[in-house]
Short mmCIF file of all heavy atoms in Angstrom, two decimals:
data_model
loop_
_atom_site.label_atom_id
_atom_site.label_comp_id
_atom_site.label_asym_id
_atom_site.label_seq_id
_atom_site.Cartn_x
_atom_site.Cartn_y
_atom_site.Cartn_z
N ALA A 15 8.68 -20.37 64.31
CA ALA A 15 8.75 -21.53 65.17
C ALA A 15 9.95 -22.41 64.89
O ALA A 15 10.09 -23.45 65.48
CB ALA A 15 7.47 -22.36 65.00
N ASP A 16 10.80 -22.03 63.99
CA ASP A 16 11.90 -22.89 63.59
C ASP A 16 13.22 -22.38 64.14
O ASP A 16 14.16 -22.13 63.42
CB ASP A 16 11.96 -23.01 62.07
CG ASP A 16 11.85 -21.66 61.39
OD1 ASP A 16 11.80 -20.63 62.10
OD2 ASP A 16 11.82 -21.64 60.17
N ASP A 17 13.33 -22.24 65.43
CA ASP A 17 14.54 -21.70 66.04
C ASP A 17 15.63 -22.75 66.07
O ASP A 17 15.42 -23.88 66.46
CB ASP A 17 14.22 -21.25 67.47
CG ASP A 17 15.42 -20.61 68.12
OD1 ASP A 17 15.75 -19.48 67.74
OD2 ASP A 17 15.99 -21.26 69.00
N ALA A 18 16.83 -22.34 65.64
CA ALA A 18 17.92 -23.29 65.57
C ALA A 18 18.35 -23.77 66.94
O ALA A 18 18.86 -24.87 67.10
CB ALA A 18 19.11 -22.66 64.85
N GLU A 19 18.13 -22.93 67.98
CA GLU A 19 18.51 -23.34 69.32
C GLU A 19 17.64 -24.48 69.82
O GLU A 19 18.06 -25.29 70.62
CB GLU A 19 18.42 -22.16 70.28
CG GLU A 19 19.52 -21.13 70.10
CD GLU A 19 20.89 -21.71 70.40
OE1 GLU A 19 20.99 -22.54 71.33
OE2 GLU A 19 21.85 -21.35 69.71
N ALA A 20 16.37 -24.51 69.35
CA ALA A 20 15.47 -25.55 69.80
C ALA A 20 15.84 -26.90 69.19
O ALA A 20 15.58 -27.93 69.76
CB ALA A 20 14.02 -25.19 69.45
N VAL A 21 16.44 -26.91 68.00
CA VAL A 21 16.86 -28.12 67.33
C VAL A 21 18.34 -27.96 66.99
O VAL A 21 18.68 -27.49 65.91
CB VAL A 21 16.03 -28.38 66.05
CG1 VAL A 21 16.36 -29.75 65.50
CG2 VAL A 21 14.55 -28.27 66.35
N PRO A 22 19.24 -28.31 67.89
CA PRO A 22 20.66 -28.03 67.69
C PRO A 22 21.20 -28.61 66.40
O PRO A 22 22.10 -28.05 65.80
CB PRO A 22 21.31 -28.67 68.93
CG PRO A 22 20.23 -28.69 69.96
CD PRO A 22 18.96 -28.91 69.19
N ALA A 23 20.67 -29.75 65.94
CA ALA A 23 21.21 -30.37 64.74
C ALA A 23 21.05 -29.51 63.51
O ALA A 23 21.76 -29.67 62.53
CB ALA A 23 20.54 -31.74 64.51
N LEU A 24 20.09 -28.61 63.55
CA LEU A 24 19.87 -27.76 62.39
C LEU A 24 21.06 -26.85 62.13
O LEU A 24 21.20 -26.31 61.04
CB LEU A 24 18.63 -26.90 62.60
CG LEU A 24 17.30 -27.62 62.43
CD1 LEU A 24 16.17 -26.63 62.64
CD2 LEU A 24 17.19 -28.26 61.07
N LYS A 25 21.90 -26.62 63.11
CA LYS A 25 23.04 -25.73 62.91
C LYS A 25 24.00 -26.25 61.84
O LYS A 25 24.78 -25.50 61.29
CB LYS A 25 23.80 -25.55 64.23
CG LYS A 25 23.07 -24.71 65.25
CD LYS A 25 23.93 -24.52 66.46
CE LYS A 25 23.23 -23.63 67.46
NZ LYS A 25 24.04 -23.41 68.65
N ARG A 26 23.96 -27.54 61.58
CA ARG A 26 24.86 -28.07 60.58
C ARG A 26 24.46 -27.65 59.18
O ARG A 26 25.25 -27.69 58.26
CB ARG A 26 24.88 -29.60 60.67
CG ARG A 26 25.33 -30.14 62.01
CD ARG A 26 25.71 -31.59 61.87
NE ARG A 26 24.60 -32.39 61.38
CZ ARG A 26 23.74 -33.00 62.16
NH1 ARG A 26 23.84 -32.87 63.47
NH2 ARG A 26 22.77 -33.73 61.66
N THR A 27 23.20 -27.26 59.01
CA THR A 27 22.72 -26.95 57.67
C THR A 27 22.29 -25.52 57.52
O THR A 27 22.39 -24.96 56.44
CB THR A 27 21.51 -27.87 57.34
OG1 THR A 27 21.90 -29.22 57.56
CG2 THR A 27 21.08 -27.70 55.89
N PHE A 28 21.83 -24.89 58.57
CA PHE A 28 21.26 -23.57 58.45
C PHE A 28 21.99 -22.57 59.32
O PHE A 28 22.43 -22.89 60.42
CB PHE A 28 19.77 -23.60 58.82
CG PHE A 28 18.96 -24.41 57.87
CD1 PHE A 28 18.68 -25.73 58.15
CD2 PHE A 28 18.52 -23.85 56.68
CE1 PHE A 28 17.95 -26.49 57.26
CE2 PHE A 28 17.79 -24.60 55.80
CZ PHE A 28 17.52 -25.94 56.09
N PRO A 29 22.10 -21.31 58.83
CA PRO A 29 22.79 -20.28 59.60
C PRO A 29 22.02 -19.96 60.87
O PRO A 29 20.81 -20.08 60.92
CB PRO A 29 22.82 -19.07 58.66
CG PRO A 29 21.69 -19.32 57.71
CD PRO A 29 21.60 -20.80 57.57
N THR A 30 22.76 -19.53 61.89
CA THR A 30 22.13 -19.20 63.16
C THR A 30 21.69 -17.76 63.22
O THR A 30 21.16 -17.33 64.23
CB THR A 30 23.12 -19.46 64.31
OG1 THR A 30 24.29 -18.68 64.09
CG2 THR A 30 23.49 -20.92 64.37
N ARG A 31 21.90 -16.98 62.12
CA ARG A 31 21.48 -15.59 62.10
C ARG A 31 20.42 -15.40 61.03
O ARG A 31 20.39 -16.11 60.03
CB ARG A 31 22.67 -14.68 61.79
CG ARG A 31 23.53 -14.46 63.04
CD ARG A 31 24.46 -13.31 62.77
NE ARG A 31 25.00 -12.79 64.01
CZ ARG A 31 24.37 -11.93 64.77
NH1 ARG A 31 23.19 -11.48 64.43
NH2 ARG A 31 24.91 -11.49 65.87
N GLU A 48 12.87 -14.53 62.97
CA GLU A 48 13.45 -15.83 63.31
C GLU A 48 14.51 -15.67 64.38
O GLU A 48 15.30 -14.75 64.37
CB GLU A 48 14.05 -16.45 62.04
CG GLU A 48 14.62 -17.84 62.32
CD GLU A 48 14.93 -18.55 61.02
OE1 GLU A 48 14.07 -18.52 60.15
OE2 GLU A 48 16.01 -19.11 60.90
N GLU A 56 30.02 -22.23 64.13
CA GLU A 56 30.07 -23.62 64.48
C GLU A 56 30.98 -24.34 63.49
O GLU A 56 30.85 -24.15 62.28
CB GLU A 56 28.65 -24.22 64.43
CG GLU A 56 27.71 -23.64 65.47
CD GLU A 56 27.93 -24.23 66.82
OE1 GLU A 56 28.46 -25.36 66.88
OE2 GLU A 56 27.60 -23.59 67.82
N ALA A 58 30.82 -27.23 62.30
CA ALA A 58 30.08 -28.07 61.37
C ALA A 58 29.08 -27.30 60.55
O ALA A 58 28.32 -27.87 59.81
CB ALA A 58 29.36 -29.20 62.13
N ASP A 59 29.01 -25.99 60.69
CA ASP A 59 28.02 -25.17 59.99
C ASP A 59 28.46 -24.95 58.54
O ASP A 59 29.22 -24.05 58.23
CB ASP A 59 27.86 -23.83 60.70
CG ASP A 59 26.67 -23.08 60.16
OD1 ASP A 59 26.12 -23.46 59.11
OD2 ASP A 59 26.29 -22.09 60.81
N LEU A 60 27.98 -25.82 57.64
CA LEU A 60 28.39 -25.76 56.24
C LEU A 60 27.65 -24.70 55.47
O LEU A 60 28.03 -24.37 54.36
CB LEU A 60 28.18 -27.13 55.59
CG LEU A 60 28.96 -28.29 56.24
CD1 LEU A 60 28.68 -29.58 55.51
CD2 LEU A 60 30.45 -27.99 56.26
N ALA A 61 26.57 -24.15 56.03
CA ALA A 61 25.78 -23.16 55.30
C ALA A 61 26.49 -21.83 55.24
O ALA A 61 26.19 -21.01 54.39
CB ALA A 61 24.41 -22.99 55.95
N ILE A 62 27.43 -21.58 56.16
CA ILE A 62 28.12 -20.30 56.21
C ILE A 62 29.58 -20.52 55.86
O ILE A 62 30.26 -21.32 56.50
CB ILE A 62 28.00 -19.66 57.60
CG1 ILE A 62 26.52 -19.53 57.97
CG2 ILE A 62 28.68 -18.31 57.66
CD1 ILE A 62 26.29 -18.96 59.33
N PRO A 111 9.74 -23.27 70.59
CA PRO A 111 9.09 -24.48 70.08
C PRO A 111 10.14 -25.48 69.59
O PRO A 111 11.18 -25.10 69.06
CB PRO A 111 8.23 -23.96 68.93
CG PRO A 111 8.86 -22.67 68.53
CD PRO A 111 9.44 -22.08 69.77
N LEU A 112 9.86 -26.76 69.78
CA LEU A 112 10.82 -27.81 69.43
C LEU A 112 10.66 -28.29 68.00
O LEU A 112 11.60 -28.78 67.40
CB LEU A 112 10.66 -28.99 70.40
CG LEU A 112 10.95 -28.68 71.87
CD1 LEU A 112 10.65 -29.91 72.71
CD2 LEU A 112 12.38 -28.22 72.04
N GLY A 113 9.47 -28.16 67.43
CA GLY A 113 9.24 -28.69 66.10
C GLY A 113 9.01 -30.19 66.14
O GLY A 113 9.12 -30.85 67.19
N LEU A 114 8.72 -30.76 64.97
CA LEU A 114 8.45 -32.19 64.84
C LEU A 114 9.49 -32.78 63.90
O LEU A 114 9.63 -32.34 62.76
CB LEU A 114 7.05 -32.43 64.29
CG LEU A 114 6.67 -33.88 64.01
CD1 LEU A 114 6.64 -34.69 65.30
CD2 LEU A 114 5.31 -33.95 63.30
N ARG A 115 10.26 -33.75 64.37
CA ARG A 115 11.29 -34.37 63.56
C ARG A 115 10.75 -35.62 62.88
O ARG A 115 10.26 -36.54 63.53
CB ARG A 115 12.51 -34.71 64.41
CG ARG A 115 13.67 -35.27 63.60
CD ARG A 115 14.87 -35.52 64.48
NE ARG A 115 15.46 -34.27 64.94
CZ ARG A 115 16.33 -33.57 64.25
NH1 ARG A 115 16.70 -33.97 63.04
NH2 ARG A 115 16.82 -32.44 64.74
N GLY A 117 12.37 -38.21 60.59
CA GLY A 117 13.61 -38.68 60.00
C GLY A 117 14.64 -37.56 59.99
O GLY A 117 15.02 -37.05 61.03
N SER A 118 15.08 -37.19 58.79
CA SER A 118 16.08 -36.13 58.65
C SER A 118 15.45 -34.78 58.34
O SER A 118 16.13 -33.86 57.92
CB SER A 118 17.08 -36.49 57.55
OG SER A 118 16.42 -36.63 56.31
N VAL A 119 14.15 -34.65 58.54
CA VAL A 119 13.43 -33.41 58.25
C VAL A 119 12.77 -32.91 59.53
O VAL A 119 12.18 -33.69 60.28
CB VAL A 119 12.37 -33.63 57.15
CG1 VAL A 119 11.56 -32.34 56.93
CG2 VAL A 119 13.02 -34.07 55.86
N VAL A 120 12.90 -31.62 59.77
CA VAL A 120 12.24 -30.98 60.92
C VAL A 120 11.11 -30.10 60.43
O VAL A 120 11.30 -29.25 59.55
CB VAL A 120 13.25 -30.14 61.73
CG1 VAL A 120 12.54 -29.43 62.87
CG2 VAL A 120 14.36 -31.03 62.27
N VAL A 121 9.91 -30.29 60.96
CA VAL A 121 8.71 -29.57 60.54
C VAL A 121 8.27 -28.63 61.65
O VAL A 121 8.23 -29.02 62.82
CB VAL A 121 7.57 -30.54 60.19
CG1 VAL A 121 6.32 -29.78 59.75
CG2 VAL A 121 8.02 -31.51 59.09
N ASN A 122 7.95 -27.41 61.29
CA ASN A 122 7.42 -26.43 62.23
C ASN A 122 6.12 -25.85 61.69
O ASN A 122 5.97 -25.67 60.48
CB ASN A 122 8.41 -25.28 62.45
CG ASN A 122 9.67 -25.73 63.16
OD1 ASN A 122 10.70 -25.93 62.54
ND2 ASN A 122 9.58 -25.91 64.47
N THR A 150 6.64 -25.02 57.69
CA THR A 150 7.97 -25.13 57.12
C THR A 150 8.52 -26.52 57.37
O THR A 150 8.24 -27.15 58.41
CB THR A 150 8.95 -24.09 57.70
OG1 THR A 150 9.08 -24.30 59.11
CG2 THR A 150 8.45 -22.68 57.43
N ALA A 151 9.30 -27.00 56.42
CA ALA A 151 9.99 -28.29 56.54
C ALA A 151 11.42 -28.09 56.07
O ALA A 151 11.65 -27.62 54.96
CB ALA A 151 9.29 -29.37 55.72
N ARG A 152 12.38 -28.45 56.94
CA ARG A 152 13.80 -28.24 56.63
C ARG A 152 14.56 -29.55 56.81
O ARG A 152 14.35 -30.27 57.78
CB ARG A 152 14.40 -27.18 57.55
CG ARG A 152 13.90 -25.79 57.29
CD ARG A 152 14.54 -24.81 58.25
NE ARG A 152 14.29 -23.43 57.86
CZ ARG A 152 14.77 -22.38 58.50
NH1 ARG A 152 15.51 -22.56 59.57
NH2 ARG A 152 14.50 -21.16 58.09
N SER A 153 15.46 -29.81 55.87
CA SER A 153 16.30 -30.99 55.97
C SER A 153 17.37 -30.78 57.02
O SER A 153 17.77 -29.65 57.32
CB SER A 153 16.94 -31.29 54.62
OG SER A 153 17.81 -30.23 54.23
N ASP A 154 17.88 -31.87 57.56
CA ASP A 154 18.94 -31.83 58.56
C ASP A 154 20.05 -32.76 58.10
O ASP A 154 20.25 -33.85 58.64
CB ASP A 154 18.39 -32.25 59.93
CG ASP A 154 19.44 -32.22 61.02
OD1 ASP A 154 20.44 -31.51 60.83
OD2 ASP A 154 19.27 -32.93 62.03
N TRP A 155 20.75 -32.33 57.05
CA TRP A 155 21.80 -33.14 56.44
C TRP A 155 23.16 -32.52 56.71
O TRP A 155 23.29 -31.31 56.92
CB TRP A 155 21.58 -33.26 54.93
CG TRP A 155 20.25 -33.83 54.56
CD1 TRP A 155 19.52 -34.73 55.29
CD2 TRP A 155 19.48 -33.54 53.39
NE1 TRP A 155 18.34 -35.02 54.63
CE2 TRP A 155 18.29 -34.30 53.45
CE3 TRP A 155 19.68 -32.71 52.28
CZ2 TRP A 155 17.31 -34.26 52.47
CZ3 TRP A 155 18.72 -32.68 51.29
CH2 TRP A 155 17.54 -33.45 51.38
N GLU A 156 24.21 -33.35 56.66
CA GLU A 156 25.56 -32.85 56.87
C GLU A 156 25.97 -31.88 55.77
O GLU A 156 26.64 -30.89 56.00
CB GLU A 156 26.55 -34.03 56.93
CG GLU A 156 26.44 -34.86 58.20
CD GLU A 156 26.86 -34.08 59.43
OE1 GLU A 156 27.59 -33.09 59.28
OE2 GLU A 156 26.46 -34.47 60.54
N ASN A 158 24.50 -30.22 51.73
CA ASN A 158 23.30 -29.98 50.92
C ASN A 158 22.12 -29.63 51.84
O ASN A 158 22.16 -29.83 53.06
CB ASN A 158 22.95 -31.18 50.04
CG ASN A 158 24.14 -31.71 49.27
OD1 ASN A 158 24.97 -30.92 48.80
ND2 ASN A 158 24.23 -33.02 49.15
N SER A 159 21.07 -29.09 51.27
CA SER A 159 19.91 -28.75 52.07
C SER A 159 18.68 -28.62 51.18
O SER A 159 18.79 -28.36 49.96
CB SER A 159 20.13 -27.43 52.82
OG SER A 159 20.16 -26.34 51.92
N LEU A 160 17.53 -28.78 51.77
CA LEU A 160 16.26 -28.64 51.09
C LEU A 160 15.26 -28.05 52.07
O LEU A 160 15.21 -28.46 53.23
CB LEU A 160 15.75 -29.99 50.57
CG LEU A 160 14.53 -29.96 49.64
CD1 LEU A 160 14.89 -29.25 48.33
CD2 LEU A 160 14.05 -31.38 49.36
N GLU A 161 14.49 -27.08 51.60
CA GLU A 161 13.54 -26.41 52.49
C GLU A 161 12.24 -26.12 51.75
O GLU A 161 12.25 -25.68 50.59
CB GLU A 161 14.12 -25.12 53.02
CG GLU A 161 13.15 -24.36 53.93
CD GLU A 161 13.78 -23.11 54.52
OE1 GLU A 161 15.00 -22.94 54.35
OE2 GLU A 161 13.04 -22.31 55.13
N ARG A 189 20.10 -26.39 48.18
CA ARG A 189 21.51 -26.09 48.00
C ARG A 189 22.27 -27.39 47.83
O ARG A 189 22.06 -28.36 48.58
CB ARG A 189 22.05 -25.34 49.22
CG ARG A 189 23.42 -24.76 49.03
CD ARG A 189 24.07 -24.37 50.36
NE ARG A 189 24.56 -25.54 51.07
CZ ARG A 189 24.11 -25.95 52.25
NH1 ARG A 189 23.15 -25.28 52.84
NH2 ARG A 189 24.61 -27.01 52.84
#
Side-chain angles (χ1 to χ4, degrees):
D16 47 4
D17 183 73
E19 287 297 323
V21 189
L24 284 181
K25 289 184 177 180
R26 300 197 301 268
T27 307
F28 295 95
T30 58
R31 281 194 162 277
E48 182 168 314
E56 294 281 336
D59 191 347
L60 300 180
I62 304 178
L112 297 176
L114 176 64
R115 184 177 290 275
S118 61
V119 176
V120 177
V121 180
N122 293 101
T150 61
R152 291 180 168 182
S153 64
D154 181 21
W155 303 329
E156 289 293 339
N158 311 322
S159 69
L160 189 65
E161 179 177 351
R189 191 196 77 243

